[in-house]
């Protein structure tokens, strides 16, 4: 079946640094990918829609300058958390649609 | 707006017990409804879906029926197994064919042998 990978699976960084998370569709092309954030014991919250060849579409309340999204190719989208702070610590999940939504395994970000 | 509410977890059952995880939704229009499952260390996987009222989605012994009159999509399984231990998410897509998903908070299910 379709596979979506994320890298890294977990990352720890210092406050003020930037962190890049990659999302790849391994055996299919995706002109659109989605980035979600999951808080502990809470649901996944859609952050933005990544569009290949154009700007990402951000959900209300999500800072586009803080969460930079680049859809570099038909199989790769990246989420960069800029100037990370402890409140950005979370579990970030991407998905790519084919016949249905396929989700990556997630990236655990911890900002010290 | 669109929202999904699931029963609070965690839920702990014995093997072969009957399972119900409640899910209700609020949406404008005619959403599609989904159940996703997340096994430990893995990404979310689609478990089943229903796209219109009275549709029943089923997979791996799990079932859920799209009830427009009660705005519900409860997940059921007649006899659970230890391997069903996972986190279950109810979700909706506001428009037919749309790809954005609105998730419930997830319900952690543990099945004891």
């Amino acid at each position: 079946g379709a596979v979506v990978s994320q890298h890294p699976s977990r990352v720890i960084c210092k406050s003020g640094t930037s962190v890049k998370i990659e999302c790849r569709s391994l055996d299919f092309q995706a002109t659109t990918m989605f980035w979600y954030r999951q808080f502990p014991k809470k649901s996944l919250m859609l952050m933005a829609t990544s569009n290949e060849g154009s700007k990402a579409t951000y959900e209300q309340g999500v800072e586009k300058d803080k969460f930079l999204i680049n859809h570099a190719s038909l199989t790769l989208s990246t989420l960069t958390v800029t100037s990370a702070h402890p409140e950005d610590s979370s579990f970030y999940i991407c998905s790519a649609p084919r016949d249905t939504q396929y989700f990556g395994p997630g990236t655990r970000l911890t900002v010290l | 707006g669109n929202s999904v509410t699931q029963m609070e977890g965690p839920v702990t059952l014995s093997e072969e017990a009957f399972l119900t995880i409640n899910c209700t939704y609020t949406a404008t229009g005619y959403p599609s409804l989904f159940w996703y499952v997340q096994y430990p260390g893995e990404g979310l996987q689609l478990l089943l879906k229903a796209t219109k009222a009275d549709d029943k989605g089923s997979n791996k012994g799990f079932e859920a029926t799209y009830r427009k009159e009660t705005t519900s999509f409860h997940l059921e399984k007649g006899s659970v197994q230890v391997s069903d231990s996972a986190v279950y998410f109810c979700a909706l897509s506001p428009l037919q064919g749309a790809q954005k998903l609105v998730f419930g908070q997830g319900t952690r299910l543990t099945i004891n042998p």
Side-chain angles (χ1 to χ4, degrees), chain B residues 81-101:
Chain B
Q81 305 300 313
V82 173
S83 57
D84 294 327
S85 298
V87 181
Y88 292 81
F89 291 90
C90 186
L92 69 81
S93 180
L95 299 173
Q96 294 293 330
Q99 299 163 344
K100 291 185 182 181
L101 292 170

Side-chain angles (χ1 to χ4, degrees), chain A residues 32 34 36 38 41-44 46 49 59 91 93 97 99-105, chain B residues 34 36 38 41-46 49 87 89 98-106:
Chain A
T32 303
F34 299 91
Y36 293 84
Q38 185 176 21
K41 298 184 180 180
K42 300 225 176 203
S43 70
L44 283 74
L46 179 65
T49 303
E59 296 300 304
F91 196 57
I93 301 173
D99 51 313
T100 183
Q101 285 288 338
Y102 290 92
F103 286 82
Chain B
F34 306 83
Y36 280 85
Q38 186 176 32
E42 299 183 17
L44 276 74
Q45 302 172 26
L46 178 65
K49 67 177 183 181
V87 181
F89 291 90
Q99 299 163 344
K100 291 185 182 181
L101 292 170
V102 177
F103 285 90
Q105 69 268 40

Side-chain angles (χ1 to χ4, degrees), chain B residues 9-22:
Chain B
V11 174
T12 302
L13 296 172
S14 297
E15 204 165 22
E16 299 183 2
F18 183 86
L19 168 71
T20 300
I21 301 178
N22 289 338

Side-chain angles (χ1 to χ4, degrees), chain B residues 25 29-33 50-57 64-73 96:
Chain B
Y25 68 91
Y30 302 95
S32 294
L33 302 174
T51 57
K52 61 183 188 296
D54 300 326
D55 267 2
K56 177 186 283 187
T65 301
Y66 189 143
R67 300 285 187 202
K68 195 170 190 304
E69 63 277 11
T70 54
T71 62
S72 65
F73 193 55
Q96 294 293 330

